[in-house]
C-alpha cells in the first residue's frame, strides 16, 4: 500500500511536470532581471481560508509595497485542511494547472515534492539577497542541503483546554506536566456526551505526531529517524507513545476512538470548538481562531498548556517546531514576482497578516506580545482566551532536534500508519507493532542507501 502510494504520486507529478516543461520553454518568461516590465498576477495555492489567514488585508498590504504584482489567492479547502489541499495541488501539477506560489504545511510534504522536481530551488535568490536562513528563521528549512521554501507562520505544539470544564473539575491550568498527568486530566475531563481528548491522527499518511507523542517531546531525536538519519525505532519512547494511545482509548475511554475519527472523518477544530472534546493536542496554527472565527464562535473559556514532558525534571517542554512553507512552483512563469511575495510574507508580511506567530527571528518578544494582542483584538470574543497561559506556553517551549527530511519519509510515515492502525483496531498487540516498525523502517532506509 505504501509503495503504491509513493509510486503513484511520483509518476503522477513527474508526468505533469514534464508536460508543463515544454510549454514553459516555448514561452518566454514574462519577467526580466529586476522589476517586471508590466503588472503580473501570481497565484498562491493555499489550504488557508480568508477568515483564518486574513488574505484580503494581507494581499492589500503587499500590493502597497509592490503595485506591479497582483496576488490571486486560490483557497483549496473550506476546512483549512492541508491534506485535502495537497491532493488538489498534486492534481494541478499533473494536469498542467497554472500555479506560482504553493503553501506546504510541513517540511516532509515539501521535501517529497522537491525531490520530484515540482518546487523551485531558492538558493540563488537567497544568496543574491544575502539572507542567512539559519539566523533569520526559527526552524531549519533545508532539504538535502538546499532551500526550496521560506516560512510563514511559526508552529509550536501545545494543549488547548476547555477552561470552564477545568474549573468544574477543580483542575488548575498546568504550567508544566507529564504525560501521566495528561492522562489523568483526560479522565477527569470526560463526561456525558463528550471525551477528555481527541487525537487527530495518524490520518491519510499524515499527522504522525499523534502516534509518537512521547517520542516527539524529547530534546533530541524527536521523530522516527534520529538526527543522523538512522532509525529511531529502538527508542523506548516510541513504545510508550503507542501504549499511551491504547490506554487512553481502550482502558480509560477518555479519548475519541480512532475508528470513529477515520469513519466520520473528524476534524480537530470541530472536536474542540463544539466541545465534543475537553482538550486537544494541537498547535499555534490555531492562534487566530482562539477568540472565535466565522465558522466557530467561541462560547467557552480557553486556556493553553505546554506539551507534557516525559520527565518532570526536564527544564523545558520540547516538541518539533515548524510552520507554513511557501515554495515556488517549478513551472511558474512569474518566479521573480513569486519570490518577492514569499520573502515579504515571511518577514514583515507576518505582522501585516496579524494571524499567527512569526517564524522571523528579528521579531522581538515585545513585538510578538503586541502582535498577539492585535490578533485577539480583532476577534469576536478576545476575552475567552487566557492570555497569560498562552504567553507562558510560548516562553516555556523549546524546539526539539530532528533529522533533515529524507525523500522516503512519506514511505516511512505510510508504513507506520498501517502498523498503528493494526494496533488501535485490535489486529495486533503493542510488542508486535514495535517489532514490525523496527524492521519496516530499517528496510526502507537500507533500500534507499
Amino acid at each position: 500500500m505504501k509503495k503504491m502510494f509513493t509510486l503513484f504520486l511520483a509518476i503522477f507529478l513527474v508526468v505533469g511536470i514534464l508536460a508543463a516543461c515544454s510549454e514553459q520553454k516555448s514561452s518566454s518568461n514574462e519577467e526580466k532581471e529586476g522589476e517586471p516590465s508590466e503588472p503580473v498576477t501570481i497565484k498562491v495555492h493555499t489550504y488557508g481560508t480568508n477568515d483564518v489567514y486574513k488574505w484580503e488585508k494581507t494581499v492589500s498590504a503587499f500590493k502597497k509595497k509592490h503595485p506591479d504584482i497582483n496576488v490571486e489567492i486560490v483557497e483549496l479547502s473550506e476546512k483549512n485542511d492541508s491534506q485535502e489541499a495537497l491532493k488538489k495541488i498534486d492534481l494541478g501539477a499533473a494536469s498542467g494547472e497554472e500555479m506560482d506560489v504553493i503553501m506546504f504545511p510541513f517540511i516532509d510534504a515539501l521535501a517529497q515534492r522537491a525531490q520530484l522536481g515540482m518546487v523551485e530551488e531558492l538558493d540563488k535568490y537567497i544568496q543574491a539577497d544575502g539572507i542567512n536562513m539559519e539566523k533569520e528563521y526559527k526552524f531549519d528549512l533545508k532539504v538535502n542541503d538546499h532551500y526550496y521554501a521560506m516560512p510563514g507562520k511559526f508552529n509550536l505544539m501545545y494543549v488547548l483546554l476547555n477552561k470552564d470544564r477545568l474549573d468544574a473539575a477543580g483542575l488548575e491550568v498546568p504550567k508544566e506536566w507529564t504525560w501521566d498527568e495528561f492522562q489523568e486530566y483526560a479522565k477527569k475531563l470526560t463526561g456525558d456526551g463528550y471525551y477528555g481528548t481527541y487525537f487527530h491522527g495518524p490520518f491519510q499518511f499524515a499527522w504522525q505526531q499523534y502516534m509518537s507523542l512521547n517520542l516527539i517531546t524529547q530534546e533530541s531525536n524527536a521523530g522516527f529517524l534520529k538526527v543522523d538519519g538512522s532509525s529511531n525505532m529502538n527508542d523506548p519512547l516510541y513504545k510508550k507513545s503507542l501504549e499511551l494511545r491504547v490506554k487512553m482509548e481502550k482502558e480509560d475511554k477518555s479519548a475519541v476512538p480512532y475508528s470513529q475519527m477515520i469513519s466520520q472523518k473528524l476534524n480537530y477544530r470541530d472536536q474542540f470548538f463544539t466541545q465534543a472534546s475537553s482538550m486537544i493536542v494541537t498547535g499555534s496554527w490555531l492562534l487566530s481562531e482562539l477568540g472565535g472565527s466565522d465558522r466557530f464562535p467561541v462560547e467557552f473559556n480557553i486556556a493553553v498548556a505546554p506539551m507534557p514532558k516525559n520527565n518532570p525534571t526536564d527544564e523545558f517542554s520540547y516538541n518539533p517546531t515548524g510552520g507554513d512553507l511557501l515554495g515556488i512552483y517549478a513551472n511558474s512563469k512569474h518566479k521573480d514576482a513569486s519570490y518577492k511575495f514569499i520573502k515579504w510574507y515571511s518577514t514583515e508580511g507576518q505582522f501585516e497578516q496579524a494571524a499567527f506567530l512569526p517564524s522571523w527571528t528579528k521579531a522581538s518578544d515585545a513585538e510578538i506580545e503586541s502582535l498577539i494582542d492585535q490578533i485577539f483584538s480583532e476577534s469576536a470574543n478576545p476575552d475567552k482566551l487566557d492570555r497569560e497561559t498562552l504567553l507562558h506556553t510560548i516562553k516555556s517551549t523549546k524546539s526539539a532536534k530532528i533529522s533533515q527530511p529524507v525523500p522516503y519519509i512519506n514511505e516511512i510515515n505510510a508504513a507506520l500508519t498501517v502498523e498503528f492502525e493494526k494496533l488501535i483496531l485490535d489486529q495486533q498487540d503493542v510488542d508486535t507493532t514495535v517489532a514490525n516498525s523496527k524492521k519496516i523502517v530499517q528496510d526502507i532506509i537500507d533500500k534507499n542507501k
Side-chain angles (χ1 to χ4, degrees), residues 370-412:
S370 176
L371 178 62
I372 289 171
D373 290 339
Q374 182 183 348
I375 291 170
F376 289 105
S377 69
E378 298 175 0
S379 62
N381 296 294
D383 59 324
K384 293 296 185 182
L385 175 72
D386 187 331
R387 177 180 180 275
E388 294 308 311
T389 62
L390 171 64
L391 293 175
H392 167 77
T393 296
I394 292 171
K395 292 175 182 177
S396 62
T397 299
K398 296 293 182 185
S399 297
K401 296 175 183 176
I402 59 175
S403 67
Q404 276 200 33
V406 293
Y408 48 87
I409 190 62
N410 276 354
E411 187 177 356
I412 290 174

Side-chain angles (χ1 to χ4, degrees), residues 83 86 104-114 409-410:
Q83 296 307 303
L86 285 172
F104 298 96
F106 41 81
I107 199 161
D108 290 350
L110 168 70
Q112 182 186 25
R113 289 158 181 83
I409 190 62
N410 276 354

Side-chain angles (χ1 to χ4, degrees), residues 200-432:
H200 188 61
F203 185 56
Q204 296 181 338
F205 308 113
W207 302 102
Q208 271 72 29
Q209 60 266 48
Y210 292 102
M211 61 178 281
S212 54
L213 289 165
N214 296 84
L215 190 67
I216 65 171
T217 47
Q218 60 180 331
E219 184 177 5
S220 186
N221 297 325
F224 298 141
L225 301 179
K226 294 181 180 179
V227 172
D228 63 10
S230 62
S231 173
N232 200 25
M233 292 294 95
N234 286 315
D235 193 318
L237 291 178
Y238 175 61
K239 182 178 180 179
K240 288 193 71 173
S241 300
L242 300 177
E243 290 172 335
L244 178 145
R245 289 293 303 271
V246 171
K247 184 176 189 298
M248 294 186 70
E249 177 177 329
K250 309 292 184 181
E251 297 179 29
D252 299 343
K253 311 291 186 182
S254 63
V256 176
Y258 183 81
S259 59
Q260 187 174 322
M261 186 202 81
I262 57 176
S263 64
Q264 299 180 24
K265 297 182 180 179
L266 299 179
N267 185 276
Y268 56 95
R269 286 179 173 85
D270 304 64
Q271 282 293 304
F272 185 69
F273 289 117
T274 64
Q275 303 189 69
S277 297
S278 300
M279 63 178 182
I280 58 170
V281 172
T282 185
S284 55
W285 55 85
L286 275 180
L287 188 62
S288 65
E289 299 168 69
L290 301 187
S293 65
D294 293 343
R295 188 176 172 209
F296 293 114
V298 176
E299 298 175 349
F300 59 96
N301 292 298
I302 296 173
V304 187
M307 287 287 278
K309 302 175 180 180
N310 288 300
N311 304 299
T313 55
D314 290 346
E315 185 177 1
F316 297 104
S317 169
Y318 293 100
N319 66 84
T321 57
D324 292 334
L325 304 165
L326 278 75
I328 300 173
Y329 182 46
N331 293 320
S332 167
K333 297 176 182 177
H334 310 298
K335 291 178 181 175
D336 289 345
S338 296
Y339 173 73
K340 287 174 184 175
F341 176 77
I342 66 174
K343 177 186 173 184
W344 174 87
Y345 182 78
S346 72
T347 54
E348 61 189 278
Q350 290 296 289
F351 290 90
E352 296 289 351
Q353 188 174 45
F356 310 105
L357 299 176
S359 297
W360 198 30
T361 58
K362 292 186 178 180
S364 67
D365 289 345
E367 287 175 321
I368 290 175
E369 287 196 31
S370 176
L371 178 62
I372 289 171
D373 290 339
Q374 182 183 348
I375 291 170
F376 289 105
S377 69
E378 298 175 0
S379 62
N381 296 294
D383 59 324
K384 293 296 185 182
L385 175 72
D386 187 331
R387 177 180 180 275
E388 294 308 311
T389 62
L390 171 64
L391 293 175
H392 167 77
T393 296
I394 292 171
K395 292 175 182 177
S396 62
T397 299
K398 296 293 182 185
S399 297
K401 296 175 183 176
I402 59 175
S403 67
Q404 276 200 33
V406 293
Y408 48 87
I409 190 62
N410 276 354
E411 187 177 356
I412 290 174
N413 291 343
L416 295 184
T417 295
V418 171
E419 292 304 311
F420 173 81
E421 290 187 343
K422 291 177 185 176
L423 167 68
I424 207 71
L425 299 177
D426 301 317
Q427 296 171 14
Q428 66 186 21
D429 60 22
V430 170
D431 288 334
T432 302

